[in-house]
């Protein structure tokens, strides 16, 4: 059985960015174990979060079989 690690999801909205043309709405996923980050993944909906978590699992050094949103 593979272990899961939790990840913090950061949602960045273009309207909150000083240069919205350069940075559309996106999400970043950061592993709470290793501190590795995946992103930006454009969009802020559930499918964007799932993609960010999948990328994090593929690229993260913690070795988890999956990452889930957590604190």
């Amino acid at each position: 059985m593979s272990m899961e690690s939790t990840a913090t999801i950061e949602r960045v909205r273009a309207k909150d960015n000083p240069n919205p043309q350069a940075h559309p709405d996106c999400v970043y996923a950061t592993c709470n174990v290793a501190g590795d980050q995946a992103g930006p993944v454009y969009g802020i909906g559930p499918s964007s979060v799932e993609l960010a978590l999948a990328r994090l699992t593929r690229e993260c050094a913690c070795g988890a079989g999956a990452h889930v949103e957590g604190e």
Side-chain angles (χ1 to χ4, degrees), residues 7 9 11 27-29 38 41-58 66-69:
I9 302 298
R11 292 166 177 86
V27 296
Y28 294 86
V41 173
Y42 298 110
I44 56 171
S47 61
S48 297
V49 171
E50 288 179 24
L51 181 56
L53 290 168
R55 285 186 184 172
L56 182 61
T57 299
R58 187 175 61 238
H67 284 84
V68 295
E69 186 173 1

Side-chain angles (χ1 to χ4, degrees), residues 5-10 30-32 49 53 67-71:
S5 289
T6 58
T8 301
I9 302 298
E10 178 185 6
T30 304
C31 177
N32 293 335
V49 171
L53 290 168
H67 284 84
V68 295
E69 186 173 1
E71 295 182 9

Side-chain angles (χ1 to χ4, degrees), residues 11-38:
R11 292 166 177 86
V12 180
R13 295 189 176 268
K15 68 179 184 170
D16 299 331
N17 194 306
N19 186 2
Q21 287 86 13
H23 302 282
D25 291 349
C26 61
V27 296
Y28 294 86
T30 304
C31 177
N32 293 335
V33 174
D36 291 356
Q37 186 179 71

